[in-house]
Every structure is written in C-alpha cells, then in structure tokens.
C-alpha cells in the first residue's frame, strides 16, 4: 500500500532512531489536499459495527478512480479502518462509494491477508463471530450509534472495597457512602498498593491467595474503625477486553 505518488511533507523534527518515520497526520493532510486540488473527490463512507448494534462511522472524500495517485485511496481508508477497529472494536466493516476499496479491504482482512491478525483477533477472539467486510449502497450505510455507558451512581451507602490487579502491583482501597473512606484526621482508611509479579506464577492458588490477602486487609481496616461494619460490595478492575461481562482478551 506504500509507494503512492502523494507528496507528503517530512517531519520537521525527524526521530533519530527512525528517520524514515511518516506520521499519519502528515500523510492525511497531504491526501486531503490532493483531493481538494483535483476538484473531483468521491464521497465514501466507512462504518464499523461492534456489540449491541453500536456503530462508528466516518464520511470522507477520496480520489477519483482514474486519478494518477488513486492507489493512495486504499492506504488512506485502510489506515482509518485499522484505527477504528483498535479505538472502538468491531466485527463488521461496511464501505460505500468505492467498491474496489471494499474488495481490497476484504482481501487484506482475511486469512492469509496482510491483516490476518486483525481478522482473527476481532472476529474469533473478541466477538466470537466471523469478521466481515461488506460493500454497501450509500442508503444502506448505518448511522453512528454510540452505546450508552452504565450510569455512575455515588448515592449508595455503606462500606465497599475497590481493588485493581496490574502486571506489577495490586491495589486496594476502602470506600464508604460513595467516596474514599477517610479517618477523622482526613487520612484514607486504606489506600495501598503492593508489588507482585503474576505473570510468572502458574499456580491458580497463588493468585487466589494473594487477591484474598489484599481483600482481607480491606475488611480488617473496616472492622478496626467500625467493629460492626460489613463490606456490602467489592469492585475489581483488570486490563483486557470484556464483552457482555465476559473477559475475551
């Protein structure tokens, strides 16, 4: 997809370790300038669908098919598709306005194609369904649909624990009545982190015991202030992709 005739400006400060680096922003500016210069840009739309009917859509202009630099269209659109997949996620890519670009994307995002990893990752691994690239008529293109985030409520009462599992440390905090629990002197009841290296530990019991050890510290901190106190909920976070409440990656 490289080697097009689009004249791209060089970075004003080229990186020493990668002097041939071409920032996407400079390529995009050059491409859009060429579309404006030719005066005959084609309207094209790209949409990426993910779970729950959510859709990310971008409307843009590309060069006419007979333009000397028409090969640059694929690079421009493919980079946008790749960005949307890794920004939003998705299992279906829809393209209108340039069937030859849709067909080229279908070959790239396929087993054995240059984007075979993306094809398998977003299809089988993340969404557990086939990854597809479809050619659509303009009237058939879906509109942007943003999923509603779960509402954040802080009006709950009582003691809770929040913990986080990272690659090099684990964290625990005691919260109460919708905020970080504080002692009479204003210091947190418990907000601490501990080093750990879970990657090299293959025994599930080791992970379970370390996590329970962390949660018990939170419970002990609650009981030290409120002997009758009871932890009513525990919230945990972990890196990865969760679809429908299930960890996929």
């Amino acid at each position: 997809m490289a080697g097009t005739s689009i004249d791209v400006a060089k970075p004003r400060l080229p990186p020493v370790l990668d002097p041939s680096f071409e920032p996407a922003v400079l390529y995009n500016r050059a491409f859009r300038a060429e579309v404006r210069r030719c005066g005959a840009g084609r309207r094209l739309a790209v949409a990426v669908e993910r779970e729950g009917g959510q859709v990310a859509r971008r409307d843009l202009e590309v060069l006419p098919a007979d333009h000397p630099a028409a090969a640059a269209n694929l690079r421009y659109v493919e980079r946008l598709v790749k960005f949307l997949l890794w920004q939003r996620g998705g299992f279906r890519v829809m393209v209108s306005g340039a069937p030859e670009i849709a067909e080229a994307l279908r070959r790239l995002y396929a087993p054995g194609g240059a984007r075979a990893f993306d094809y398998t990752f977003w299809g089988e691994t993340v969404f557990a369904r086939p990854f597809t690239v479809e050619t659509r008529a303009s009237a058939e293109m879906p509109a942007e649909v943003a999923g509603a985030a779960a509402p954040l409520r802080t009006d709950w009462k009582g003691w809770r624990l929040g913990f986080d599992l990272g690659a090099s440390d684990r964290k625990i905090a005691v919260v109460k009545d919708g905020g970080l629990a504080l002692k009479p002197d204003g210091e947190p009841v418990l907000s601490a982190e501990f080093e750990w290296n879970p990657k090299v530990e293959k025994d599930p019991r080791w992970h379970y015991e370390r996590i329970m050890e962390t949660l018990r510290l939170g419970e002990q901190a609650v009981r030290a202030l409120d002997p009758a106190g009871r932890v009513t909920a525990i919230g945990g976070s972990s890196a990865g992709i969760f679809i429908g409440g299930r960890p996929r990656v």
Side-chain angles (χ1 to χ4, degrees), residues 44-168:
L44 180 146
V46 172
V48 176
E49 182 182 353
R50 57 196 187 278
E51 83 282 6
Q54 298 177 77
V55 175
R57 172 171 171 159
R58 296 293 183 272
D59 293 89
L60 50 147
E61 285 191 333
V62 297
L63 296 165
D66 59 355
H67 190 282
N73 286 337
L74 179 57
R75 187 184 189 194
Y76 180 69
V77 176
E78 192 279 330
R79 292 290 79 191
L80 173 62
V81 169
K82 176 91 168 181
F83 177 81
L84 289 175
L85 285 172
W86 287 91
Q87 182 195 45
R88 306 288 187 87
F91 55 82
R92 178 180 292 119
V93 176
M94 295 158 276
V95 181
S96 71
E100 78 281 5
I101 293 179
E103 180 56 36
L105 289 172
R106 223 176 343 260
R107 292 193 298 269
L108 290 169
Y109 289 86
R115 302 290 173 255
F117 175 84
D118 305 75
Y119 171 88
T120 302
F121 180 82
W122 290 111
E124 291 179 18
T125 304
V126 175
F127 292 104
R129 58 188 298 169
F131 183 95
T132 60
V133 178
E134 301 176 3
T135 303
R136 294 282 187 97
S138 296
E140 298 173 338
M141 290 293 288
E144 175 100 8
V145 179
L152 179 63
R153 292 186 55 190
T154 58
D155 58 350
W156 46 266
K157 301 297 182 183
W159 296 98
R160 297 188 178 191
L161 303 180
F163 74 96
D164 174 76
L165 304 179
S168 59

Side-chain angles (χ1 to χ4, degrees), residues 25 34 68 80 182 227 247:
V25 64
E34 185 60 32
L80 173 62
L182 302 177

Side-chain angles (χ1 to χ4, degrees), residues 26-48:
L26 296 183
Y27 183 87
N28 289 344
R29 286 175 184 170
F31 181 88
R32 292 166 184 161
E34 185 60 32
V35 172
R36 290 193 298 271
R37 193 157 38 243
C38 81
R42 286 185 292 166
R43 298 293 300 171
L44 180 146
V46 172
V48 176

